[in-house]
Each structure stands twice: as structure tokens, then as C-alpha cells.
Amino acid sequence: MAKEGHKYIFVLGGVMSGVGKGVVASSVGLLLQQKGYPVNLVKVDPYLNVDAGTMNPTEHGEVFVLKSGMETDQDMGNYERFLGRDLTNEDYMTSGMVYQSVIERERALGYGGKCVEALPHVRDEILRRFEAAAAYNGSRVSVIEIGGTIGDFQNALFIEAARVLKMEYPEDVLFVMVSYLPTPGTLGEMKTKPTQTAVRDLNSYGVQPDFIVARSKEPVDEKRKEKLAISCSVRKDRIISAPDISSIYEAPLNFEKDRLGDAMLDALKLPEKKKASLAAWKKFATAVSNTKAPEISIAVVGKYFDTGDFVLSDAYLSVIEAIKFSAAKLNRHAKISWVNSKKLEAKGAKASSLLAGYDGIIVPGGFGESGIEGKIKAIQYAREKKIPYFGLCYGMQLMVIEYARNVVGLKDANTTEIKKSAADPVVDVMLEQKKHLSDNKYGGTMRLGSYPCYLKKGTMARAAYKKELVEERHRHRYEINPSYVKQLEAAGLVFSGTSPDGVLMEISELPRETHPFMLGTQFHPELQARPLDPHPLFTAFLSAAIAKRRKK
Ligand code: GLN
């Protein structure tokens, strides 16, 4: 049973994928929230993976970890960044998750001997999940993005569930179709036909869109709006032009200008509570796309380059956004360059020729062997040349390995992820992880989600956070081996953040006197960086990079 009077806005894609459904959903969420209605944003991923954790980032982009530890799609990261708050497990679902619940219930005789079918049982499980998300945290409106495009086999049951919800609560459910209007180069004219066809496809499901967000290169003119209105049976004032923009953070501002939020409240019969207060957002959006601000150049040394450069921004999405937020706060424009760690490994490759000139170096998270020695070379270069360095997860483990090898003198120091028989396994699995690995239980078994971290007095980490206890999100299987901590500390490495019981090393750093900024985190700080609340460690890292640039 749906929560009485709860409102649902379904965001669907027509024509083709990749035109910004997620940005539309996030922007609508932000606008309604700023108008005084608590919102939760839900992502539906139609694939059969139970969660996004087992997918290669080159396949599906970054895995975004919720506070709870659930491994989700990168869109969830955008949702949290736009809303400025944490989302929960109810806000994410995949076909795999839905089917798993249905099958588990069937195995437990939960269907009382009935034949279990896609309709109604799978659809009803989807409805139950939509409603569970609605019950979350007192939200008044759920904005639900259905992945894929209208006409896909995979998402049909989700659209069917949405249709049933609309049938039961006609006043409480809206459909927004995000479509694309191409302008073929040979014609030089924007075409509405693919959108008309997509609406007809959607109609064949028994669903009529209430709004069309028309994505295109240039703004959609009145003539085409009229054409779409009449052919798609959507009021002209509910056809919203959404031309390409330079930063996704401008989208809510444009939508507010077009009064999209008000039109939606009107359609949902919700009184307009207040004008959206977007002043702080506007200030941020202006700063983040100000390419005229003084530049700061950051090298990200990664390895997810295999399917071409375009995958990069997806594989490290939260890292890029976290850099941008702190740069905007410091009134800088961050120029991010990608350095392929495998290139650093090539015979005769010099770190200096690939890394000289950058104001700061980041080694982000990663898994497996490829590109590792190249990353270690980059870290050694940053340490010796005193270039600000920030290591995220693997980037911290490798920073510790580099220190063990080149400063402590443990030449065979390594992580057992790569070399099981390493003479000095300074990074190793903890006991409970050994069992998961020997049972081939990979999905959802890493150290995942939020854990407390205690910060030592007098360290850079403590100075950046200005707090003693913080919580950060994790996603890793390996840890700094506790039996090497004393030896590393004696050689000058500082573990400035640990689990409150002191067993797990969460942050490593070099003292200020030795290096301007050399710090690694076992957690992923980028997951909690927000537009209006940049992450203190990213800000500290960039501040050090700015100081270094001044000295040049
Ligand atoms: N591969 C490392 C581990 O599993 C680091 C993971 C990461 O960087 N997210 O511990």
C-alpha cells in the first residue's frame, strides 16, 4: 500500500541513453527540496547484477558506495551531491536484487504454492520497493530514475510497476520523459521525429508522459515545442528545453528559470511552499565552471584506460568532482590530466618526463596487478621531489609499500593482493577476508561503507578536519599489516588516522617538516565530497598544490 498522498516522479529516457536522465532527476530533486519538500532520489538499474560491486569500472563507471556499504551506480553519487545528503539502500534497486528477493521468497514457500511469475509477482516486488523508498526518512516526493531507454526489454517490468502506481494514484504520479532532439549535420535542422516515436512506444506500455525534457545541442524553439505538444499530447508549457551546458551543476538553475519545479508542483497538486533558494548553489555553479580562475594542475595516475580515454571520467567520477569542489572553494580552476600508470612501467620510462610540472599527484583506488609498479614509481617521484601527493585507498596502500621499500629498506615489500609470497607483506588481508576469498565469495564482502576514524593530534589530517573523530566510507579487502606499523613509524611514517581501537591504519602521512603534503587514506574521501561542503582533505591537498605552484 502506497503512503497516503506521497508523490512519485518517474524519469524515463527516450530515443537514446546517455543524454542526462540522472542530471534531470537530480535537478528536479534539488528544486523540490529547495522549495520545501523533502525528496528522496531512487535509481533503478535494470541489469541482473545484484549490485554494482562486481562490475569493472571500464564497463559501468565508478562504483559508488553508500554510507550503509551498499555498492551502487555512479548516479547515486550525483544524487547525493545534488541533494547534499546521504541516501539509503531503499533508494537503489537492480533487476538482480528484485529477482533475488522473489526467488528467496519462493524457496521459503512464501507464495503459498502458487506459480510464481514476472506478472504479478516480480512487478509487485518492484512496487513494494518503490513504496519502501517512499517511506524513507519522511520524504514527501520520490524521484525515481528508470535506467535504460523506453523500448528495452530489461526495464519493461519497472515501467509496468510505475504504470500500476499511476493507475491506483492518478494524482500522485508523474512521468517525465527525457528525450533527445538530434540536428543532423547535413540538414542543420533539429528533428522531433525520434521523440514522437519514443512517446508512441511509451504509450504502448499504457503510459503517457506528463513532461518532456527535450535535450539538444541548441535550445528547442517554439515551433518545435508546438509540434511536440500536438503530436505527443503534452502541454506546451510542459515541454522543457534543455540544451547542452558546460557543467551539470547549471542544470537546476536553468530548470528553475523555466519554472520546471513549479510546473511539477502544480501537476502534482502540491502548493508552492516557497521560491527555491538557490543562491549558494548558484555561487558554487559559477565558481566551478569558471575556467578563467587561476589554474592548478593535477595528475591522476590511474589504469582504467583500456577502452579509450572517454571511460576515465566515469571510472573516477567522484574523485574528479571532489577535486572540482575544493578547487571552486579555493577560487581555482583544476586542470586534471590522466597519466597511464602502465606507461610509467615501460622500459626506460622516466617518472620525471611524465610527471614533471604538475602541482599535485593523486593515485586513486584500484584493484589487481596491472599498472601497480608504475603507480609506485609515481609515488616515489612525488615523495622525493616534494610534490603534494594524495593517495586514495590503493593509493595509500601503495604509498606505504613505496615507503617500506625505499626508506625502510624492505626491498620485497608488497601487498598480498599481488604477491602472495612477498617476503614483507606490508599490506595483507585480515582473517575474515581470507575465508571470503577461499570460498569465492566476492560480491558485497569487502570492508564496505562508513567506519569511524580517530585522528592523532598534531597531524595534517587532524588540522584539515579540525575534529578528533570522523566517519568515512570504505571499499577494500586489504589493510596495512599491523605487524609492520612499528617499523614504519620508526622510519618516519605517521599513521595519523586509525580505527578507534588502534588496529586498522586509516590514514598515513609524512610530517610537515619532511614533505609539504604526502597523505594517503584507506577510505574513499571523494565519496563524501559535496558541492556546498567540499571534503577537507581534498581542500588541504589542493592548498598544498597551490602553495607549491606559487614557489615555482
Ligand atoms: N585493491 C585494494 C584492496 O582491495 C584497494 C581497493 C581500493 O582502492 N578501493 O584493498
Side-chain angles (χ1 to χ4, degrees):
M1 205 32 212
K3 210 163 90 180
E4 201 48 43
H6 188 85
K7 306 290 183 181
Y8 298 86
I9 299 174
F10 288 96
V11 178
L12 307 167
V15 179
M16 64 187 198
S17 64
V19 294
K21 276 195 308 282
V23 175
V24 172
S26 306
S27 301
V28 166
L30 174 66
L31 287 183
L32 298 184
Q33 176 177 281
Q34 293 308 99
K35 285 175 186 292
Y37 289 97
V39 171
N40 69 312
L41 281 157
V42 178
K43 177 76 200 277
V44 169
D45 270 329
Y47 47 68
L48 281 175
N49 302 59
V50 172
D51 59 41
T54 53
M55 275 184 279
N56 186 326
T58 53
E59 285 273 322
H60 193 70
E62 168 190 86
V63 176
F64 188 83
V65 184
L66 301 184
K67 188 172 180 192
S68 67
M70 186 182 272
E71 297 169 282
T72 71
D73 180 79
Q74 59 183 25
D75 275 326
M76 294 293 282
N78 271 332
Y79 294 176
E80 286 202 352
R81 290 188 276 269
F82 273 70
L83 291 183
R85 74 176 225 211
D86 302 333
L87 294 171
T88 69
N89 292 3
E90 289 74 25
D91 298 316
Y92 183 65
M93 69 192 80
T94 69
S95 294
M97 222 182 255
V98 170
Y99 276 97
Q100 194 177 45
S101 306
V102 171
I103 291 167
E104 273 170 13
R105 185 168 160 196
E106 182 275 324
R107 292 287 81 185
L109 279 182
Y111 291 100
K114 283 215 165 60
C115 173
V116 182
E117 313 221 42
L119 292 177
H121 301 104
V122 174
R123 178 192 66 204
D124 287 352
E125 170 60 20
I126 295 170
L127 277 167
R128 187 193 69 69
R129 284 173 180 265
F130 286 163
E131 287 161 12
Y136 161 67
N137 212 2
S139 99
R140 185 80 175 79
V141 184
S142 299
V143 181
I144 303 178
E145 178 189 349
I146 299 187
T149 317
I150 295 156
D152 292 351
F153 269 119
Q154 297 208 72
N155 59 16
L157 277 171
F158 292 98
I159 301 179
E160 166 64 6
R163 179 191 69 80
V164 170
L165 207 60
K166 172 85 175 180
M167 192 195 72
E168 285 177 7
Y169 305 97
E171 307 230 311
D172 298 331
V173 178
L174 278 188
F175 286 98
V176 178
M177 191 176 96
V178 182
S179 184
Y180 191 74
L181 275 65
T183 307
T186 43
L187 287 178
E189 189 196 337
M190 193 185 285
K191 303 306 280 179
T192 60
K193 190 60 154 210
T195 303
Q196 297 180 36
T197 311
V199 169
R200 221 156 284 150
D201 271 352
L202 185 59
N203 289 159
S204 71
Y205 291 75
V207 171
Q208 166 63 25
D210 301 284
F211 286 80
I212 295 177
V213 175
R215 289 275 301 104
S216 53
K217 207 153 171 272
E218 305 291 336
V220 180
D221 59 10
E222 291 304 304
K223 197 174 142 209
R224 279 169 189 79
K225 279 192 185 175
E226 267 155 31
K227 199 163 175 188
L228 281 176
I230 195 83
S231 57
C232 304
S233 309
V234 175
R235 273 167 48 175
K236 193 174 148 218
D237 61 337
R238 292 185 179 175
I239 294 172
I240 310 292
S241 162
D244 290 349
I245 39 180
S246 59
S247 138
I248 58 170
Y249 301 110
E250 286 167 23
L253 301 169
N254 292 346
F255 287 145
E256 175 66 359
K257 247 188 253 150
D258 288 341
R259 301 184 51 84
L260 176 62
D262 294 339
M264 284 190 170
L265 291 182
D266 185 47
L268 288 168
K269 302 206 165 46
L270 286 172
E272 189 188 343
K273 281 197 173 165
K274 56 174 184 178
K275 260 191 89 160
S277 49
L278 291 167
W281 188 271
K282 190 168 181 188
K283 191 168 163 239
F284 151 75
T286 311
V288 89
S289 44
N290 179 13
T291 46
K292 295 209 176 73
E295 188 180 290
I296 181 89
S297 68
I298 303 298
V300 177
V301 183
K303 72 156 185 177
Y304 295 120
F305 295 74
D306 301 352
T307 45
D309 279 0
F310 64 91
V311 298
L312 281 174
S313 45
D314 269 4
Y316 302 116
L317 187 63
S318 293
V319 178
I320 300 170
E321 299 311 298
I323 296 172
K324 285 197 212 156
F325 302 161
S326 288
K329 180 177 172 158
L330 299 167
N331 293 315
R332 288 296 186 284
H333 166 63
K335 184 165 177 283
I336 302 171
S337 306
W338 307 102
V339 177
N340 187 339
S341 54
K342 288 178 205 158
K343 281 203 182 134
L344 282 159
E345 286 175 355
K347 251 212 177 111
K350 273 209 183 123
S352 58
S353 58
L354 284 161
L355 291 170
Y358 291 111
D359 305 318
I361 296 174
I362 290 183
V363 172
F367 293 85
E369 187 175 0
S370 75
I372 286 314
E373 291 303 324
K375 289 183 185 177
I376 293 178
K377 219 163 152 183
I379 295 169
Q380 180 176 8
Y381 182 77
R383 182 175 57 76
E384 290 176 351
K385 301 288 175 201
K386 303 202 187 300
I387 301 169
Y389 171 79
F390 195 13
L392 311 170
C393 205
Y394 220 0
M396 176 221 188
Q397 297 176 353
L398 298 174
M399 167 182 163
V400 173
I401 291 170
E402 191 277 323
Y403 204 78
R405 283 187 192 171
N406 300 326
V407 180
V408 186
L410 306 172
K411 289 286 166 247
D412 196 35
N414 217 323
T415 161
T416 52
E417 179 171 355
I418 295 172
K419 193 171 175 192
K420 288 221 159 40
S421 60
D424 288 298
V426 295
V427 178
D428 198 5
V429 273
M430 304 297 262
L431 208 58
E432 71 268 19
Q433 284 295 339
K434 283 200 175 127
K435 174 112 183 72
H436 292 320
L437 291 178
S438 61
D439 293 348
N440 282 346
K441 288 213 164 112
Y442 295 107
T445 59
M446 282 188 254
R447 176 144 83 105
L448 289 167
S450 206
Y451 284 86
C453 168
Y454 168 78
L455 303 166
K456 257 186 216 136
K457 250 198 186 133
T459 60
M460 291 207 292
R462 176 84 170 251
Y465 280 106
K466 300 188 181 71
K467 269 191 220 163
E468 190 175 4
L469 196 67
V470 294
E471 273 195 24
E472 291 283 1
R473 298 185 196 173
H474 291 247
R475 181 172 188 254
H476 54 100
R477 218 176 274 289
Y478 295 78
E479 307 278 352
I480 303 302
N481 187 339
S483 46
Y484 284 89
V485 167
K486 273 212 168 71
Q487 203 177 350
L488 288 159
E489 283 179 332
L493 192 68
V494 177
F495 288 105
S496 50
T498 63
S499 56
D501 63 6
V503 175
L504 302 171
M505 299 303 115
E506 308 285 43
I507 308 179
S508 62
E509 63 179 73
L510 286 184
R512 237 179 249 105
E513 306 75 57
T514 323
H515 194 287
F517 191 96
M518 182 101 201
L519 186 144
T521 60
Q522 184 57 83
F523 47 82
H524 288 275
E526 69 272 19
L527 300 177
Q528 297 199 108
R530 304 265 165 90
L532 304 184
D533 189 15
H535 196 285
L537 290 179
F538 276 90
T539 309
F541 163 67
L542 285 185
S543 302
I546 292 169
K548 177 186 171 282
R549 192 180 177 98
R550 273 203 203 106
K551 270 202 207 146
K552 266 205 291 207

